[in-house]
Amino acid sequence: MAQDLFKEREMLRYRNLITATAVLGVLFVILQWMGFRTILEQRRHLKRFRGGQFLYIIAGLHALHVVAGVIALVVLFIKAFGTRIRSYNSVPVELMSTYWHFVDLLWLYLFIFFMAIN
């Protein structure tokens, strides 16, 4: 939706959506970090999952992609609220949209995968 609003130059609504997306991305990273700390504290990481190291590798790579996406979102957020003259180049917004949809689909796959091996 933010991509469409950017292309239509509805910057107020675009800023609202990019802000919400950035906040949700940061919240997701924080909650994932808290979840993994809980798993480590309870020592469930090797008892509960077969191939515990695999869990860390896959989840760590996913976390790396999410953090990279959040950094890129913060850059878009800063640009959205910047005072410089805008060129209205939609390519960065389109790339961010495609990237986050990819990460969303990957997360759903990982969720189903981890539930299946549990």
Side-chain angles (χ1 to χ4, degrees):
M1 290 187 319
Q3 177 182 337
D4 293 337
L5 291 171
F6 184 86
K7 287 179 179 178
E8 295 169 7
R9 295 187 180 171
E10 293 199 33
M11 294 308 287
L12 180 61
R13 292 174 61 198
Y14 166 74
R15 287 179 185 138
N16 289 338
L17 286 178
I18 205 74
T19 300
T21 305
V23 168
L24 289 172
V26 170
L27 182 64
F28 180 81
V29 170
I30 291 169
L31 291 174
Q32 286 292 319
W33 179 259
M34 291 170 54
F36 269 98
R37 281 187 46 206
T38 301
I39 289 172
L40 289 173
E41 288 169 1
Q42 295 177 357
R43 304 258 182 219
R44 291 187 184 180
H45 57 287
L46 293 177
K47 294 179 194 173
R48 191 155 182 200
F49 295 103
R50 288 178 268 149
Q53 293 83 6
F54 182 69
L55 167 71
Y56 291 123
I57 291 168
I58 294 297
L61 287 172
H62 176 64
L64 181 67
H65 283 96
V66 171
V67 169
V70 168
I71 291 169
L73 270 174
V74 169
V75 170
L76 279 182
F77 173 82
I78 291 169
K79 286 184 175 187
F81 287 93
T83 56
R84 286 186 23 179
I85 297 173
R86 288 175 183 69
S87 66
Y88 292 102
N89 181 7
S90 65
V91 172
V93 179
E94 291 171 6
L95 287 173
M96 185 56 45
S97 176
T98 302
Y99 183 84
W100 275 107
H101 285 101
F102 167 75
V103 172
D104 288 343
L105 290 174
L106 183 61
W107 186 87
L108 288 173
Y109 168 77
L110 288 174
F111 180 75
I112 292 167
F113 177 76
F114 287 134
M115 295 310 262
I117 66 168
N118 184 10

